[in-house]
Amino acid sequence: MNNPEQINTSYSKIVQEGLWNNNPALAQVLGLCPLLAVTGTIINALALGVATMMVLIASNLAVSLLRQYIPNEIRIPIFVLIIAGFVTIVEHLMHAYLYNLYTVLGIFVPLIVTNCAIIGRAEGFASKNAALPAVIDGISMGLGFTGVLVALGMMREILAQGTLFADASIMLGDWATTITLFENYDGFLLAALPPGAFIGLGLLLALKNIIDQKMRTRKTKNIPVYAIVENPETP
Amino acid sequence: MKSGVISRSGLLLGLAGVIVIGLVTLVYHFTHDAIVESEYQALLLALNSIIPEDSHDNDIVNDSRALSANKELGLKKDALIYRARNKGEIFAVAFPVVAPDGYSGPINLLLAIDRQGKVLGVRVVSHLETPGLGDRIESRRSDWLQQFPGKSVENPSHEDWKVKKDGGIFDQFTGATITPRKVVNAIHKALMYAEAEPGVFFDE
């Protein structure tokens, strides 16, 4: 059995980790297959993000609650079972109540099982923490992942089609409308194709690194000099 | 001692499997009816978009007949023909047609024809064509498919059942000729087959 030692129960720290510092897509760089494949439009990105988040929250909760009863030797197959079970449940629910969305996302709903970000959280966090922090971790990591999906979906949809929220009605109902940003827009095809997804993700990764660097420099300025000389490379 | 651990782990794993399967079965049981209903509605919507809803008086989704795998229609698997009736008589049918050689994979279509072999409507069910180029065959992206209703094997003539680039009468897209060409060919082939074998489609 894992050491029940609480790694970190500071909730704001957990949220910060999931949304930014240890973001599943931008820091752990996990779950890229669905990330690159379904981010053609915001709505597809949002739908897969929310589905992934639901699985993540449920699996984190289940793993955390059962952590005392799961023998160390067989923890991974049990985590996989739990995750696969929740993915199948989400798939059935989408098939029943969000049929159009289900047909658009297709194989990427069942493929949530293979999103390493989920088993990564089960193994790395939920199996070592109590239920509440595990759920908060699931929500933050899920939101972090969804945020990157939506950001990438937005970039690609604006560039490729000149619209926002195309086909929003298949997820949100008839009240949702598509916003057309540019009338008679010819479209920038690259953004819609897989290379556009890779380039877009690269830009997002670069942006995160720039922001992190800025933050670090600002922090360093406020630290007294003796703290810096610990690092021999710093003059 | 060691074997004790192994058998205990095995039992636990088996138990976990049984519990998860139980949960999934439960959810399946509760969502089954809704899934069937959703699929029925989606198919009904698709069929009504190519055979006007008020032209027939039967439950078109549940009035189907088997269509065996067929090269002329590009079907690799058995499929269904849906029949639209008016006072019991079949006046139109809808059936799947596949253009097996689209730009990046098969293009699945749903074609509706009447007894005279005239196209009532065409719908793209699924495809893998390039977003922004070939995907303009979808009715929500352009009205390209609106060229087909009213056409038949004789209208236009055999030589004109091609895209304009190949000397026919059907539009292609700038930057995407292959997709429209393959769809036009698939529909033409299906119409020729329906003319040669009307019994396949209109027999009870």
Side-chain angles (χ1 to χ4, degrees), chain A residues 145-195:
Chain A
F145 188 66
T146 308
V148 176
L149 278 166
V150 169
L152 197 54
M154 180 156 39
M155 281 166 62
R156 292 179 65 193
E157 191 182 333
I158 292 175
L159 285 174
Q161 305 178 23
T163 61
L164 273 178
F165 302 108
D167 304 324
S169 55
I170 65 171
M171 179 178 182
L172 304 170
D174 288 332
W175 59 270
T177 46
T178 303
I179 303 165
T180 306
L181 296 174
F182 314 111
E183 292 290 341
N184 302 321
Y185 182 60
D186 277 342
F188 177 50
L189 188 59
L190 179 69
L193 298 177

Side-chain angles (χ1 to χ4, degrees), chain A residues 5-202:
Chain A
E5 172 199 354
Q6 310 283 300
I7 288 191
N8 197 330
T9 42
S10 156
Y11 297 139
S12 68
K13 181 89 198 291
I14 296 174
V15 173
Q16 216 176 18
E17 286 283 303
L19 293 184
W20 188 261
N21 294 343
N22 199 16
N23 183 294
L26 293 183
Q28 303 174 51
V29 205
L30 292 177
L32 293 194
C33 164
L35 184 86
L36 296 169
V38 302
T39 51
T41 67
I42 293 193
I43 289 303
N44 290 358
L46 186 66
L48 195 83
V50 171
T52 308
M53 179 159 80
M54 274 158 40
V55 173
L56 191 52
I57 295 169
S59 76
N60 261 14
L61 177 67
V63 167
S64 169
L65 288 175
L66 297 170
R67 68 189 192 282
Q68 270 115 5
Y69 311 105
I70 302 174
N72 204 26
E73 298 84 10
I74 54 164
R75 67 185 193 285
I76 300 292
I78 292 204
F79 296 165
V80 173
L81 254 175
I82 291 172
I83 294 166
F86 282 124
V87 169
T88 314
I89 288 170
V90 167
E91 189 194 347
H92 277 316
L93 292 174
M94 281 181 84
H95 196 165
Y97 303 111
L98 293 166
Y99 184 79
N100 288 326
L101 200 58
Y102 174 82
T103 53
V104 171
L105 293 179
I107 188 68
F108 290 99
V109 178
L111 274 183
I112 293 173
V113 178
T114 63
N115 189 331
C116 330
I118 298 175
I119 196 157
R121 293 329 285 168
E123 164 75 359
F125 193 94
S127 64
K128 301 183 181 80
N129 286 281
L132 185 60
V135 167
I136 292 174
D137 180 72
I139 296 172
S140 333
M141 287 285 165
L143 280 177
F145 188 66
T146 308
V148 176
L149 278 166
V150 169
L152 197 54
M154 180 156 39
M155 281 166 62
R156 292 179 65 193
E157 191 182 333
I158 292 175
L159 285 174
Q161 305 178 23
T163 61
L164 273 178
F165 302 108
D167 304 324
S169 55
I170 65 171
M171 179 178 182
L172 304 170
D174 288 332
W175 59 270
T177 46
T178 303
I179 303 165
T180 306
L181 296 174
F182 314 111
E183 292 290 341
N184 302 321
Y185 182 60
D186 277 342
F188 177 50
L189 188 59
L190 179 69
L193 298 177
F198 276 102
I199 296 169
L201 180 68

Side-chain angles (χ1 to χ4, degrees), chain B residues 49-50 111-112 118-122 143-152 155 161 170 187:
Chain B
S49 74
I50 52 174
L111 174 65
K118 208 170 68 185
V119 176
L120 290 178
V122 189
D143 52 10
W144 186 78
L145 283 177
Q146 290 310 313
Q147 303 178 83
F148 293 100
K151 300 286 192 292
S152 65
N155 166 36
W161 260 102
F170 294 99
I187 294 173

